């Protein structure tokens, strides 16, 4: 504490208390009535009395009680009180340095009797001494951090920061030290900076992924008695590719049916990888085995599995078991951990082909049987052979499809397949018979197959020759011996395969623009003018490879034209020409190339053709319906505004001066002319009606253009005592006959009113010569025409009120 003492010989002495007597110092300062140092006050005072701050004393104070001390400034009178007689200063409340660190006050000594200051006002400061009353606080209560697994010791993880509200420049109240309370031995923290680092090598995410570390910040440089605060740091180990894929078993057993389609899946295998994300991506492949050309494996990225599919048709009777060697390898390798590899694994997959009950199989795709027409009923003319391709080799039963033998001419033995005739054959009636034979498994009647049988009836000389036609001829009576007569001879031309097959009809088909790949667009057939022995059999193919279309031989003398791609455009190409090669199976083989015309057309969603013309491209506007409507409304509003503005410009109407229905004045025409008041010499002048001579004969009209189309015509003078009615009629006649008058109704100005005219001013503004009141009661006697003006001048409120 400081105490201000008396001034001696013109200087001020300050005695500093709170130190030993040997260290007491007397300070001298000249030419001032006060001497002081900073006052210091301890914060968070807990006593019951007011806390003493210090004492102020002036050298003008002689101790006779005539001096009064006055305090002003921060907290004076409320927070700080001064004894006006002694100058002692006390603090009335507990002070917190963190709220306010110092207070600036002003002191003055005044005479109690006169109230005049004895010395100039002086300023001093009360500083608040800090105590350690605030614990450290972290900027975050919970921190989130991550570090790669298998990191080296000392790898940076995260830095935490704490602050202390105490005075860092005074003592150790704000000097912080960081320490780790939870998380050892995996992590450590630097005491001065709060940086967290790894403390244990080879931390494996697969063993433990998440760690919770508690960090403490303690003030007083970590000494005993200091305050502390804590924060939690959640640390996650991120994955690295340090684990190779591994199959959970070395051998996998799969099975599939021999009737499975190409491309179908027969099973899945999976290799496990302890890593996650891209570090666990696996690529599967077949690296060996006897089924490499029959099976394929693809990787399912969603599940990480290897899917085994079929590449070729399977046959149980030919091969019942396949073996594959499958490899699973990581696609993203980390070279830091290659020593932990290899990052791949292999497994064996055994695939068993399951038998399927297949229909019987004939020895030939078709049979041709010949029989002479003279064979008796019941004669066997040939046989067909079929068997069960399954391992069980079930017996087969044969039958004739009666839809192909409606007359029941043929019969077949159900056990051995021998075909016999039931009725007499006549080659001259029907030389060829085509029937179908059905083979059915006895154990499973649903398994059937059929084969065409072509029966050729051979000719037998069982008909005597006869006239090719009925002849009726004559012989002359005088005929001589040796004369001859004529008879027609018929020559049959036998067929040879000298004509190539061709389209059965003219084809012109279309393809939709929105067609998809593999869609049927046309089925074609062929004809051949030749007559083969066994019947026609046509083969269809394309002349060259075509990127747009392909052909599929239906093996029934027809073929299907299919699209090879989707998305055709008639604006690019509206017509395609497809060359199709058609061949027969006779000897020698004949073939021809025919052209199929395919047009590109627009179709609806059901594939119905709508238009095949190349219509102009219509590009979308890119605006929604709402935007178009908004633009249209804006245009309409602008047009309405323009029309209204033009109409207002053309028809500007002013309100009439008199709108009242009670206005009954006669012969009043409003021309909407606005005058200039009393001095307007162009306005109507009643004096002209009384004295026409005052009118300026050379004054131009205001209702026509200034340029005179005709010479100015003077009006004839009017007698002095002419009646007003005669005067108006005369002027009206002049205007009607005046060629310079405009062709529309207008105001004809005859003279002027105002100062200078013979009629003088007609206004009532200056009509009162005296300050006296004028009686306007006589206006009520002028009739209804003057009622309006009478009401204006004979009102309840007179000019006296004003």
């Amino acid at each position: 504490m400081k105490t201000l003492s008396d001034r001696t010989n013109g200087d001020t002495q300050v005695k500093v208390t709170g130190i030993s007597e040997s260290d007491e110092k007397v300070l001298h300062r000249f030419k001032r009535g006060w001497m002081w140092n900073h006052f210091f006050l301890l914060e968070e005072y807990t006593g019951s009395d007011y806390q003493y701050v210090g004492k102020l004393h002036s050298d003008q104070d002689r101790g006779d009680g005539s001096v009064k001390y006055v305090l002003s400034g921060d907290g004076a009178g409320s927070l700080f009180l001064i004894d006006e007689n002694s100058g002692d200063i006390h603090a009335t409340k507990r002070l917190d340095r963190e709220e306010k660190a110092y207070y600036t006050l002003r002191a003055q000594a005044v005479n109690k009797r006169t109230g005049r200051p004895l010395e100039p006002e002086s300023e001093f400061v009360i500083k608040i001494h800090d105590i350690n009353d605030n614990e450290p606080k972290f900027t975050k209560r919970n921190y989130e951090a991550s570090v790669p697994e298998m990191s080296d010791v000392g790898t940076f993880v995260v830095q935490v920061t704490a602050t202390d509200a105490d005075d860092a420049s005074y003592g150790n109240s704000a000097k912080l030290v960081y320490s780790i309370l939870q998380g050892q031995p995996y992590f450590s923290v630097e005491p001065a900076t709060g940086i967290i680092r790894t403390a244990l090598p080879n931390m494996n995410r697969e063993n433990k992924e998440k760690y919770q570390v508690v960090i403490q910040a303690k003030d007083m440089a970590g000494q005993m008695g200091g305050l502390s605060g804590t924060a939690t740091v959640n640390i996650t180990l991120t994955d690295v590719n340090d684990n190779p894929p591994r199959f959970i078993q070395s051998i996998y057993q799969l099975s599939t049916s021999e009737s499975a389609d190409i491309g179908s899946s027969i099973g899945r295998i999976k290799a496990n990888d302890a890593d996650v994300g891209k570090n666990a991506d696996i690529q599967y492949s077949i690296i060996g085995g006897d089924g490499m050309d029959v099976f394929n494996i693809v990787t399912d990225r969603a599940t990480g599995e290897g899917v085994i599919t079929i590449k070729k048709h399977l046959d149980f009777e030919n091969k019942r078991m396949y073996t594959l060697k499958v490899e699973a390898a990581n696609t993203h390798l980390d070279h830091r951990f290659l020593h932990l590899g290899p990052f791949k694994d292999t497994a064996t997959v055994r695939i068993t082909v399951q038998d399927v009950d297949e229909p019987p199989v004939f020895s030939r795709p078709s049979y041709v049987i010949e029989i002479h027409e003279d064979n008796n009923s019941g004669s066997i003319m040939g046989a067909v052979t079929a068997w069960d391709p399954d391992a069980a080799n079930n017996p087969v039963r044969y039958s004739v499809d009666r839809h192909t033998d409606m007359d029941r001419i043929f019969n077949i033995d159900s056990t051995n397949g021998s075909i016999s005739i039931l009725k007499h054959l006549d080659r001259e009636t029907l030389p060829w018979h085509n029937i179908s034979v059905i083979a059915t498994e006895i154990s499973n009647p649903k398994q059937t197959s059929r084969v065409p049988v072509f029966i050729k009836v051979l000719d037998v000389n069982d008909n005597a020759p006869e006239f090719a036609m009925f002849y009726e001829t004559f012989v002359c009576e005088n005929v001589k011996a040796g004369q001859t007569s004529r008879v027609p001879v018929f020559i049959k031309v036998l067929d040879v395969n000298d004509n190539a097959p061709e389209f059965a009809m003219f084809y012109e088909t279309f393809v939709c623009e929105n067609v998809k790949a593999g869609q049927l667009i046309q089925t074609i057939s062929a004809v051949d003018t030749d007559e083969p022995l066994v019947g026609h059999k046509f083969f269809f193919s394309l002349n060259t490879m075509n990127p747009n279309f392909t052909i599929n031989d239906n093996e029934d003398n027809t073929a299907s034209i299919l699209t090879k791609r989707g998305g055709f455009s008639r604006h690019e190409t509206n017509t395609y020409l497809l060359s199709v090669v058609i061949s027969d199976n006779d000897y020698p083989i004949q073939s021809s190339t025919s052209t199929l015309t395919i047009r590109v057309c627009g179709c609806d969603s059901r594939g119905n053709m709508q238009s095949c013309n190349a219509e102009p491209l219509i590009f979308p506007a890119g605006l929604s319906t709402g935007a178009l409507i908004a633009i249209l409304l804006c245009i309409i509003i602008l047009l309405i505004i323009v029309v209204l503005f033009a109409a207002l410009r053309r028809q500007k109407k002013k309100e009439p001066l008199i709108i009242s229905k009670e206005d009954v004045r006669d012969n009043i025409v409003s021309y909407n002319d606005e005058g200039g008041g009393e001095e307007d010499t162009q306005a109507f002048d009643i004096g002209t009606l009384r004295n026409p001579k005052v009118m300026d004969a050379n004054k131009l009209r205001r209702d026509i253009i200034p340029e005179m189309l005709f010479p100015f015509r003077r009006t004839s003078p009017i007698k002095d005592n002419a009646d007003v009615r005669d005067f108006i009629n005369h002027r009206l006649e002049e205007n009607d006959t005046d060629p310079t008058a405009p062709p529309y109704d207008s105001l004809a100005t005859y003279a002027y009113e105002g100062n200078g005219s013979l009629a003088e001013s007609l206004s009532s503004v200056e009509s009162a010569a005296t300050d006296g009141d004028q009686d306007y009661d006589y206006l009520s006697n002028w009739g209804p025409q003057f009622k309006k003006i009478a009401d204006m001048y004979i009102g309840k409120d007179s000019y006296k009120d004003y």
Side-chain angles (χ1 to χ4, degrees):
M1 297 293 182
K2 276 88 176 172
T3 301
L4 300 181
S5 62
D6 295 339
R7 181 175 60 185
T8 304
N9 297 327
D11 62 324
T12 302
Q13 296 180 358
V14 180
K15 182 179 180 181
V16 182
T17 62
I19 59 177
S20 62
E21 295 183 357
S22 60
D23 294 335
E24 286 185 357
K25 297 180 181 180
V26 178
L27 304 178
H28 299 274
R29 184 173 182 179
F30 299 96
K31 296 182 181 180
R32 289 188 60 87
W34 295 90
M35 172 59 77
W36 68 93
N37 284 325
H38 288 88
F39 289 100
F40 293 92
L41 189 63
L42 194 64
E43 69 169 334
E44 302 295 343
Y45 174 69
T46 59
S48 58
D49 298 332
Y50 289 167
Q51 187 178 3
Y52 181 74
V53 178
K55 183 180 182 64
L56 298 178
H57 186 74
S58 172
D59 55 358
Q60 299 294 328
D61 188 358
R62 303 303 179 183
D64 55 1
S66 62
V67 178
K68 176 183 177 181
Y69 295 95
V70 179
L71 188 67
S72 61
D74 293 343
S78 59
L79 186 60
F80 298 102
L81 298 178
I82 186 170
D83 188 333
E84 62 180 14
N85 296 319
S86 63
D88 291 333
I89 302 173
H90 290 82
T92 63
K93 298 179 181 179
R94 294 174 58 184
L95 301 179
D96 188 358
R97 188 203 65 84
E98 285 70 39
E99 293 181 1
K100 191 172 179 66
Y102 63 91
Y103 296 85
T104 303
L105 294 99
R106 295 178 300 277
Q108 192 173 35
V110 298
N111 190 292
K112 285 185 178 181
R113 290 187 296 271
T114 63
R116 298 179 59 183
L118 300 178
E119 293 187 4
E121 188 178 58
S122 298
E123 188 177 83
F124 64 94
V125 176
I126 299 177
K127 280 192 174 184
I128 310 301
H129 259 315
D130 182 50
I131 64 173
N132 189 18
D133 59 342
N134 292 280
E135 71 276 2
K137 293 183 179 180
F138 284 89
T139 56
K140 296 180 182 179
R141 188 167 184 83
N142 292 285
Y143 290 82
E144 299 291 335
S146 61
V147 64
E149 63 173 332
M150 309 298 290
S151 296
D152 296 334
V153 174
T155 301
F156 174 84
V157 179
V158 70
Q159 183 177 11
V160 296
T161 304
T163 59
D164 196 319
D166 293 323
D167 191 358
S169 62
Y170 178 76
N172 294 325
S173 298
K175 187 174 182 180
L176 305 181
V177 173
Y178 298 93
S179 61
I180 184 168
L181 300 182
Q182 177 182 325
Q184 295 174 331
Y186 307 103
F187 300 96
S188 63
V189 63
E190 294 181 358
T193 62
I195 296 177
I196 301 175
R197 301 181 183 275
T198 57
L200 195 66
N202 300 326
M203 286 191 293
N204 197 341
R205 183 198 66 84
E206 288 73 32
N207 295 334
K208 186 176 181 180
E209 182 179 6
K210 295 184 180 296
Y211 296 85
Q212 190 175 74
V213 179
V214 178
I215 303 297
Q216 181 190 65
K218 191 173 183 180
D219 59 13
M220 299 298 293
Q223 299 176 5
M224 294 292 293
L227 302 179
S228 63
T230 60
T232 301
V233 184
N234 297 314
I235 302 175
T236 302
L237 296 183
T238 58
D239 185 60
V240 298
N241 191 9
D242 58 341
N243 293 281
R246 291 290 180 263
F247 284 105
I248 59 176
Q249 57 192 72
S250 60
I251 298 177
Y252 292 85
Q253 298 286 346
L254 300 177
S255 63
T256 182
S257 171
E258 63 175 333
S259 61
D261 297 330
I262 294 178
S264 60
S265 171
I266 64 173
R268 293 170 175 255
I269 60 175
K270 181 175 176 58
N272 294 330
D273 194 324
D275 298 321
V276 294
K278 69 176 184 179
N279 296 322
D281 288 345
I282 299 174
Q283 181 67 38
Y284 295 90
S285 59
I286 299 176
I287 60 175
D290 57 359
M292 294 181 63
D293 57 341
V294 181
F295 300 96
N296 188 27
I297 188 169
V298 295
T299 304
D300 188 343
R301 298 297 179 188
T303 62
E305 297 174 320
V307 183
I308 299 177
T309 59
I310 300 174
K311 291 172 59 176
K312 293 182 179 180
H313 284 295
L314 303 177
D315 189 359
F316 171 82
E317 288 69 31
N318 291 334
K319 190 172 181 61
R320 303 183 180 184
M321 176 73 72
Y322 294 91
T323 301
L324 302 176
K325 187 177 182 180
V326 179
E327 179 184 79
N330 276 141
T331 57
H332 299 87
L333 299 179
D334 193 332
H335 297 284
R336 296 175 301 171
F337 306 103
L338 290 180
H339 63 280
L340 301 176
F343 284 81
K344 56 185 177 180
D345 194 15
T346 59
T348 301
V349 180
R350 293 177 181 174
I351 302 174
T352 302
V353 180
Q354 297 177 348
D355 187 24
V356 175
D357 192 4
E358 300 175 274
V361 177
F362 285 94
S363 60
R364 300 180 189 176
S366 63
Y367 292 85
V368 178
I369 300 176
E370 296 180 349
I371 185 173
H372 289 87
E373 60 177 334
D374 61 347
N375 278 283
N376 298 324
S377 298
S379 300
I380 296 176
M381 56 182 183
V384 296
T385 303
W387 67 92
D388 183 10
D390 299 323
N393 195 15
N394 295 317
V396 176
R397 176 171 53 86
Y398 301 94
S399 62
V400 176
D401 186 357
R402 292 305 174 186
H403 291 91
T404 61
D405 185 21
M406 302 293 292
D407 297 330
R408 290 185 172 270
I409 301 175
F410 304 98
N411 190 26
I412 189 170
D413 191 300
S414 62
T415 57
N416 57 23
S418 60
I419 302 174
S420 60
I421 57 174
L422 298 177
K423 297 181 179 180
H424 177 71
L425 301 177
D426 187 3
R427 190 198 66 84
E428 288 72 28
T429 302
L430 188 62
W432 283 92
H433 297 269
N434 300 328
I435 64 173
S436 293
V437 174
I438 301 173
T440 306
E441 286 187 17
I442 296 177
S443 59
N444 187 4
K446 293 182 179 180
Q447 297 295 339
T448 62
S449 59
R450 60 181 61 222
V451 66
V453 178
F454 303 100
I455 301 171
K456 181 179 181 181
V457 181
L458 300 178
D459 186 39
V460 176
N461 191 15
D462 57 349
N463 292 286
E466 58 183 11
F467 279 148
M469 59 179 293
F470 175 73
Y471 294 100
E472 184 176 356
T473 187
F474 65 92
V475 63
C476 297
E477 290 181 329
N478 56 354
V479 70
K480 295 180 180 179
Q483 277 189 318
T484 61
S485 63
R486 296 181 179 181
V487 64
V489 178
F490 297 93
I491 303 173
K492 181 179 181 181
V493 180
L494 299 178
D495 181 49
V496 295
N497 190 25
D498 57 350
N499 294 288
E502 58 186 10
F503 279 155
M505 58 181 294
F506 175 73
Y507 292 100
E508 182 175 359
T509 185
F510 70 93
V511 62
C512 296
E513 288 183 311
N514 57 353
V515 71
K516 298 180 180 179
Q519 189 166 336
L520 173 66
I521 61 172
Q522 182 65 47
T523 300
I524 59 176
S525 60
V527 295
D528 193 343
T529 56
D530 293 325
E531 184 180 357
L533 296 177
V534 186
H536 292 294
K537 178 63 177 177
F538 301 124
F539 302 95
F540 300 86
S541 62
L542 294 180
N543 189 15
T544 57
M545 292 295 295
N546 192 293
N548 304 308
F549 304 97
T550 184
I551 190 169
N552 183 25
D553 195 336
N554 298 329
E555 298 182 358
D556 59 353
N557 292 341
T558 63
S560 300
I561 304 299
L562 307 174
T563 56
K564 206 170 184 179
R565 65 178 180 88
F568 291 85
S569 176
R570 51 183 157 163
H571 300 287
E572 297 177 358
T573 304
N574 59 355
T575 303
Y576 292 90
L577 300 178
L578 189 65
S579 298
V580 180
V581 178
I582 310 174
S583 305
D584 58 19
N585 66 336
D586 217 338
Y587 181 82
I589 295 176
Q590 299 289 338
S591 64
S592 67
T593 302
S594 301
T595 301
L596 178 65
T597 302
I598 303 175
R599 300 179 63 191
V600 180
C601 301
C603 305
D604 58 14
S605 59
R606 297 182 179 179
N608 299 321
M609 180 181 68
Q610 293 181 336
S611 174
C612 295
N613 298 324
E615 299 174 353
L617 291 176
I618 301 177
F619 295 97
L623 294 177
S624 63
T625 304
L628 292 175
I629 293 175
I631 293 173
L632 184 59
L633 288 176
C634 293
I635 295 173
I636 292 174
I637 292 172
L638 289 175
L639 290 177
I640 292 174
I641 292 174
V642 171
V643 171
L644 290 177
F645 182 78
L648 292 175
R649 289 290 300 272
R650 293 161 110 195
Q651 299 179 357
K652 285 188 177 179
K653 294 184 178 181
K654 297 182 180 180
E655 295 183 358
L657 297 176
I658 301 176
I659 308 178
S660 174
K661 295 182 180 179
E662 298 178 0
D663 185 12
V664 293
R665 289 178 293 176
D666 297 332
N667 303 325
I668 295 180
V669 180
S670 176
Y671 290 94
N672 292 330
D673 260 353
E674 181 178 356
E678 299 266 348
E679 299 299 329
D680 188 359
T681 58
Q682 300 297 325
F684 180 76
D685 187 3
I686 193 64
T688 305
L689 301 179
R690 298 298 182 185
N691 191 357
K693 291 183 179 180
V694 299
M695 181 176 133
D696 187 1
N698 295 324
K699 189 175 294 183
L700 296 178
R701 293 166 55 110
R702 296 177 60 213
D703 55 341
I704 62 174
I705 60 177
E707 291 78 5
M708 299 301 293
L709 301 177
F710 297 92
F712 181 78
R713 182 172 58 85
R714 291 180 178 271
T715 59
S716 60
I718 305 300
K719 296 181 180 181
D720 294 340
N721 298 323
D723 186 68
V724 175
R725 180 179 298 174
D726 295 336
F727 171 76
I728 293 177
N729 290 334
H730 181 73
R731 292 307 172 109
L732 180 59
E733 183 181 357
E734 286 182 356
N735 280 277
D736 290 340
T737 59
D738 188 0
T740 63
Y744 47 81
D745 293 340
S746 63
L747 175 66
T749 304
Y750 300 112
Y752 61 90
E753 66 160 328
N755 296 334
S757 68
L758 295 179
E760 298 183 350
S761 176
L762 299 180
S763 175
S764 62
V765 176
E766 299 177 354
S767 61
T770 64
D771 295 335
D773 297 334
Q774 184 175 352
D775 187 8
Y776 295 98
D777 294 338
Y778 64 90
L779 294 176
S780 61
N781 299 326
W782 286 13
Q785 295 88 344
F786 297 91
K787 184 178 183 300
K788 199 72 168 180
I789 193 169
D791 293 339
M792 294 173 59
Y793 286 86
I794 312 174
K796 293 181 180 181
D797 298 330
S798 65
Y799 290 105
K800 294 180 180 180
D801 299 331
Y802 297 91

